[in-house]
Amino acid sequence: MTNTIERFAKQTAGTFHQTSYEIAREHYATLGVNTDQALARLDKIALSLHCWQGDDVGGFENPGGELTGGIAATGNYPGKARNAEELRKDLDLAYSLLPGSHRLNLHAIYLESDHKVERNAIEPRHFTAWKDWAKAGKHGVDFNPTCFSHPLANDGFTLAHRDPSIRQFWIEHCIASRKIGEYFGQELGTPAVTNIWIPDGYKDTPADRGAPRRRLLEALDQVLAEKLPHNLDAVEPKLFGIGSESYVTGSMEFYTAYAVSRKVLLTLDSGHFHPTETIADKISALLLYLDQMLLHVSRGVRWDSDHVVTYGDDLQAIAQELVRADALERVHIGLDYFDASINRIAAWTIGARSTLKALLVALLEPRETLQQMEIEGDFSSRLALQEELKGMPAQAVWDQFCQQNNVPVGMDFMKVIKQYEQTELSKR
Ligand code: RNT
Ligand code: ZN
């Protein structure tokens, strides 16, 4: 396998010529699209890379502990990060293969401490190494309380638990997490988005759907009571999880109304809806009522399976909506998937590069022309142009973006990853 990629990379190395970009630029110019402007805009977009792809959502609080909460990473590809140092090293490699400057999305269980720290007692000092690393690499950091993989989450409820003491524990954990978000926001000079996702729900038909929702509402109000200027709060709805197929307390309707009434961010995870339901069309509607949003870009295959994001229709539609709705300033873009069956650094890199490419293609749309056709009622031309655009030389513009950012062009990034596999991952 390694030989194939080495041979392939050798053959393709340097096949990108500046002239390809120049031709593409001219081609786009005939449609009134300025490719240089699109690249300049793309350069400003920071994706939030999810730390949990690097170790199958394990974290370092309880090494070897079970992943619970109705989510699952399948596969046993060798070389996963076993500690924070290894994870940061792997992340450094992934970032070096991405054009542009990007953020890190950290979960509470990735804390560093030489003794066990209860989740409701986590503090910024458990994250100083992450802060130093982020500062050095100029990464903004986003944060998440971890309301799963814990004995007090074992019966399937956390913030909506009927037992007040268990509920209190998770309220305290979420408050502590927000303070860590605030710490990162302040230290790094860019606000952290702290996203609350809880697994709470029932496997089978509940007798009372309302009571847990009321408890969740009251718990969230307690969690969010204190204003933290460098922290942005987000809440993430879900339709179902493994073991919560019939009822999830934090549903789309629950959190949409919550986010609108409490003026917090709503998180849309592309895997959290009915299998054929996509999130692109939700963005422009919700942005009429919300100041900002968070996306968890993921890929469900038949269920919320968290496959690596690929350059498909769903991803393109999300990117188009962000650009067409002029929403890039208001929507934070995070990735959320965990595939343990392939090289984990490749998983990050492939998903992030595809997301950036989708954003680029959206930025290369002759938006005003298409909208003008629509205004004039010329839907035939709108359709014709939409189809024409699919064959435009976007790949040459993407290659140019990689080249001008000094990151590998084309498949060359896989060669770097394969090398790292030999020198680093194979030793783990
Ligand atoms: C679970 C949610 C949530 C998690 C992460 C690990 O379905 O998507 O965002 O994936 O918190
Ligand atoms: Zn998510």
Side-chain angles (χ1 to χ4, degrees):
M1 280 309 271
T2 307
N3 288 344
T4 312
I5 183 65
E6 264 166 18
R7 238 179 300 125
F8 180 72
K10 223 168 264 160
Q11 281 160 13
T12 55
T15 47
F16 171 70
H17 296 295
Q18 195 62 25
T19 45
S20 309
Y21 176 63
E22 276 152 22
I23 293 165
R25 178 163 58 187
E26 258 174 56
H27 201 156
Y28 276 104
T30 62
L31 297 175
V33 173
N34 183 323
T35 53
D36 293 325
Q37 264 170 25
L39 290 180
R41 183 64 193 88
L42 184 63
D43 211 30
K44 293 207 195 96
I45 300 178
L47 302 181
S48 196
L49 226 60
H50 52 317
C51 74
W52 52 92
Q53 166 57 57
D55 75 332
D56 316 336
V57 212
F60 311 125
E61 179 202 57
N62 177 21
E66 200 197 342
L67 173 60
T68 72
I71 52 179
T74 54
N76 54 2
Y77 201 86
K80 79 168 166 188
R82 296 164 300 181
N83 53 53
E85 230 157 85
E86 287 179 353
L87 185 57
R88 284 192 281 268
K89 201 167 174 191
D90 294 354
L91 279 162
D92 281 335
L93 182 66
Y95 287 115
S96 78
L97 303 173
L98 303 181
S101 174
H102 301 286
R103 303 174 65 87
L104 176 72
N105 200 1
L106 204 55
H107 241 285
I109 46 170
Y110 290 79
L111 83 173
E112 286 170 275
S113 169
D114 46 21
H115 60 277
K116 184 167 164 44
V117 184
E118 287 302 335
R119 295 240 180 123
N120 59 350
I122 56 168
E123 288 180 47
R125 66 190 168 92
H126 303 122
F127 293 90
T128 48
W130 282 110
K131 182 264 294 171
D132 292 340
W133 170 86
K135 216 172 234 179
K138 298 196 169 63
H139 304 294
V141 170
D142 300 306
F143 202 70
N144 305 261
T146 310
C147 301
F148 52 84
S149 302
H150 189 279
L152 290 181
N154 275 355
D155 49 9
F157 280 88
T158 61
L159 285 179
H161 204 288
R162 68 177 67 252
D163 178 335
S165 65
I166 296 179
R167 208 160 65 236
Q168 186 58 30
F169 175 83
W170 292 111
I171 291 172
E172 286 169 12
H173 173 56
C174 289
I175 292 174
S177 296
R178 291 183 70 226
K179 289 188 175 153
I180 293 161
E182 174 71 9
Y183 162 77
F184 277 119
Q186 199 159 18
E187 287 283 341
L188 303 174
T190 165
V193 181
T194 298
N195 176 56
I196 299 177
W197 172 72
I198 58 163
D200 300 31
Y202 286 121
K203 181 182 180 76
D204 226 327
T205 316
D208 186 353
R209 291 170 184 270
R213 290 191 168 131
R214 174 156 298 284
R215 291 195 290 267
L216 177 56
L217 173 97
E218 287 167 5
L220 286 170
D221 280 351
Q222 287 184 52
V223 168
L224 301 174
E226 191 185 343
K227 290 268 160 295
L228 300 170
H230 306 93
N231 179 65
L232 297 167
D233 297 295
V235 289
E236 183 180 5
K238 190 168 180 174
L239 178 69
F240 79 94
I242 304 169
S244 61
E245 289 85 358
S246 301
Y247 167 81
V248 164
T249 310
S251 59
M252 178 67 172
E253 292 71 16
F254 175 89
Y255 277 128
T256 305
Y258 190 84
V260 169
S261 60
R262 274 32 174 203
K263 301 197 187 314
V264 295
L265 282 70
L266 183 70
T267 303
L268 294 185
D269 182 313
S270 31
H272 285 196
F273 298 87
H274 290 278
T276 57
E277 186 178 357
T278 55
I279 64 169
D281 183 51
K282 302 181 191 300
I283 297 168
S284 61
L286 289 163
L287 282 177
L288 295 174
Y289 303 97
L290 297 164
D291 286 341
Q292 296 185 43
M293 293 174 61
L294 169 64
L295 298 186
H296 271 187
V297 184
S298 188
R299 181 165 58 101
V301 177
R302 307 201 188 282
W303 63 289
D304 180 30
S305 55
D306 287 292
H307 278 64
V308 177
V309 168
T310 53
Y311 186 76
D313 289 348
D314 288 356
L315 182 64
Q316 289 178 60
I318 292 168
Q320 284 165 346
E321 280 307 308
L322 294 178
V323 173
R324 290 175 190 167
D326 220 348
L328 287 169
E329 306 280 334
R330 294 166 64 197
V331 180
H332 305 258
I333 309 170
L335 303 180
D336 183 11
Y337 50 78
F338 18 100
D339 189 342
S341 75
I342 60 173
N343 181 303
R344 294 170 184 79
I345 299 150
W348 269 320
T349 310
I350 294 165
R353 283 176 71 117
S354 294
T355 305
L356 290 169
K357 200 193 284 186
L359 288 161
L360 171 63
V361 172
L363 288 163
L364 289 171
E365 236 181 33
R367 183 158 50 134
E368 274 152 34
T369 309
L370 284 163
Q371 287 174 355
Q372 193 52 36
M373 289 166 172
E374 188 163 278
I375 290 165
E376 290 165 7
D378 186 0
F379 303 143
S380 326
S381 299
R382 183 185 63 182
L383 184 61
L385 182 51
Q386 281 167 347
E387 286 304 285
E388 192 62 23
L389 287 171
K390 292 177 184 168
M392 291 291 287
Q395 185 70 27
V397 186
W398 167 252
D399 287 347
Q400 167 74 11
F401 187 58
C402 292
Q403 178 134 311
Q404 74 190 25
N405 274 284
N406 293 314
V407 304
V409 172
M411 279 286 286
D412 284 3
F413 71 90
M414 274 312 297
K415 199 179 164 190
V416 181
I417 289 174
K418 287 287 175 187
Q419 224 151 35
Y420 186 75
E421 199 162 88
Q422 270 174 19
T423 57
E424 172 72 27
L425 301 184
S426 67
K427 307 211 167 91
R428 291 183 184 168

